[in-house]
Amino acid sequence: MSSPQQLTSLREQLERVAVQLSTSPLPPKPQRLRGIGRVITDSWPYDNPLGSLILEAEQLYLRA
C-alpha cells in the first residue's frame, strides 16, 4: 500500500498536471511530468478502479 508521503507526492504531481492542462500550450513532451503510474502499479491493488483511471489519464496527457 502507498505511504502517506507517496500519496502526498502523487497528489502534488496530479495538481501540477492539472495546472499544465489548464494553460496552453502544454510543455514539450520531454518536459512533461512522468511517473505517476509507477506509484500506482508498484503499490496499489491491480483491481483498483481509481488507479486504472489515473494510468489512462497519464497516458493521454503524455500523448497529447
Side-chain angles (χ1 to χ4, degrees):
M1 195 62 165
S2 297
S3 70
Q5 294 84 4
Q6 287 175 318
L7 294 173
T8 298
S9 176
L10 176 63
R11 184 186 70 225
E12 290 169 355
Q13 287 181 339
L14 289 170
E15 288 171 350
R16 287 195 303 261
V17 168
V19 168
Q20 288 181 357
L21 290 170
S22 67
T23 60
S24 57
L26 285 174
K29 288 183 181 183
Q31 296 175 4
R32 294 185 192 175
L33 296 169
R34 298 174 182 271
I36 297 168
R38 280 192 301 250
V39 172
I40 295 165
T41 57
D42 290 348
S43 305
W44 292 18
Y46 291 119
D47 60 349
N48 186 306
L50 177 59
S52 297
L53 288 172
I54 293 172
L55 288 171
E56 182 180 347
E58 180 184 34
Q59 289 303 310
L60 291 170
Y61 161 74
L62 293 173
R63 285 185 290 204

